[in-house]
């Protein structure tokens, strides 16, 4: 009888340990999934060299890729987009960790580092490919974007009306290799010194707490 009871207790203990291990593994998987979760947003704020350089410095941003979006031509080249006939805008596709930086903060940085009131233009860069545009991927993203825009309007941050397009994401085409990490590779060139550097200086002053070390 004692032997039967011992076997029963041993079986029960093994079963309990197995359940604990399974639950522990499930919790571990859940934590790992949450820690590794990322989100993607696509932004166009004029020349993608500028926008890429800005978000490359933002803490929580894991990847920034320059490319084209918003047009009707598949796999366009830079030369195609420069004609203004493809409908594409120069954009950056940003992959970020929302546990480190929120989408709202990214959108705020986006608006603070370009002029969203000039139609199809950023400084000397003129054409529809330089338009201010945001491509959202979900209803929640759209709501956050619209919230930031309404806050800017209510605060009367800009004297002129915002012309930024907010449209659903459809496709992104990566730009040629020589466009990627452009500022980091060409920081001494005139465009980088005259156009990009002032944007980075503003970013580092206003959003220094959100920058990578």
């Amino acid at each position: 009888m004692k032997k039967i009871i011992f076997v029963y207790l041993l079986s029960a203990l093994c079963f309990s340990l197995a359940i604990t291990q399974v639950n522990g593994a499930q919790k571990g998987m859940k934590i790992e999934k949450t820690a590794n979760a990322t989100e993607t947003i696509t932004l166009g704020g004029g020349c993608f060299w500028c926008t890429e350089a800005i978000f490359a410095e933002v803490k929580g941003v894991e990847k920034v890729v320059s490319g084209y979006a918003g047009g009707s031509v598949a796999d366009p080249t830079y030369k195609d987009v420069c004609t203004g006939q493809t409908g594409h805008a120069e954009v950056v596709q940003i992959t970020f960790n929302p546990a480190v930086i929120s989408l709202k903060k990214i959108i705020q940085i986006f608006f603070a580092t370009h002029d969203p009131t000039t139609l199809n233009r950023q400084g000397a860069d003129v054409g529809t490919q330089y338009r201010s545009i945001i491509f959202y991927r979900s209803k929640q993203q759209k709501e956050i974007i619209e919230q930031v825009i309404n806050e800017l309007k209510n605060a009367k941050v800009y004297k002129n009306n915002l012309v930024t397009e907010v449209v659903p994401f459809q496709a992104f085409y990566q730009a040629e290799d020589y466009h990627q990490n452009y500022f980091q590779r060409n920081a001494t060139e005139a465009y980088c010194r005259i156009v990009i550097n002032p944007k980075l200086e503003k970013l580092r002053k206003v959003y220094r707490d959100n920058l990578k070390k």
Side-chain angles (χ1 to χ4, degrees):
M1 184 67 179
K2 290 181 178 180
K3 185 176 181 180
I4 295 174
I5 293 174
F6 176 75
V7 172
Y8 173 78
L9 291 175
L10 184 62
S11 299
L13 178 60
C14 291
F15 179 76
S16 177
L17 288 172
I19 292 298
T20 301
Q21 290 175 342
V22 170
N23 289 338
Q26 289 176 338
K27 289 179 180 178
M29 287 188 292
K30 185 176 182 180
I31 292 172
E32 183 179 358
K33 182 178 180 182
T34 302
N36 293 334
T38 58
E39 192 173 339
T40 303
I41 191 73
T42 304
L43 309 173
C47 176
F48 46 27
W49 296 344
C50 300
T51 319
E52 181 193 63
I54 289 163
F55 285 100
E57 294 196 3
V58 175
K59 180 170 58 179
V61 171
E62 298 186 359
K63 188 176 182 181
V64 187
V65 181
S66 292
Y68 317 108
S72 58
V73 177
D75 298 315
T77 65
Y78 181 65
K79 185 177 180 180
D80 294 333
V81 174
C82 284
T83 66
Q85 302 301 311
T86 67
H88 287 295
E90 290 192 12
V91 300
V92 293
Q93 187 146 279
I94 300 169
T95 302
F96 65 98
N97 185 344
V100 179
I101 186 167
S102 67
L103 175 62
K104 182 175 182 179
K105 182 62 68 176
I106 284 178
I107 300 302
Q108 289 173 335
I109 292 173
F110 168 72
F111 277 110
T113 51
H114 84 292
D115 187 349
T117 69
T118 52
L119 185 63
N120 301 328
R121 179 173 187 164
Q122 286 297 306
D125 295 323
V126 181
T128 56
Q129 67 270 32
Y130 299 114
R131 66 190 184 274
S132 177
I133 189 167
I134 304 175
F135 297 89
Y136 62 86
R137 284 172 167 73
S138 67
K139 180 181 178 182
Q140 182 181 22
Q141 283 193 345
K142 182 182 180 184
E143 290 174 349
I144 293 171
I145 294 162
E146 291 176 341
Q147 178 188 357
V148 174
I149 290 174
N150 287 332
E151 288 175 355
L152 292 172
K153 288 179 178 179
N154 292 336
K156 297 181 180 179
V157 174
Y158 302 100
K159 294 173 63 175
N160 299 319
N161 294 330
L162 273 68
V163 296
T164 305
E165 297 177 35
V166 179
V167 297
F169 174 82
Q170 292 186 335
F172 170 81
Y173 302 99
Q174 184 170 326
E176 295 81 352
D177 288 344
Y178 67 89
H179 288 300
Q180 309 302 328
N181 300 311
Y182 189 87
F183 177 78
Q184 288 79 359
R185 294 185 291 103
N186 302 277
T188 59
E189 289 191 4
Y191 188 92
C192 295
R193 290 186 288 105
I194 297 171
V195 179
I196 302 179
N197 267 331
K199 293 175 180 285
L200 290 176
E201 289 172 2
K202 181 178 182 180
L203 171 75
R204 293 163 185 165
K205 180 180 179 180
V206 180
Y207 292 99
R208 59 182 178 273
D209 294 336
N210 297 107
L211 302 184
K212 298 172 182 175
K213 293 182 179 179

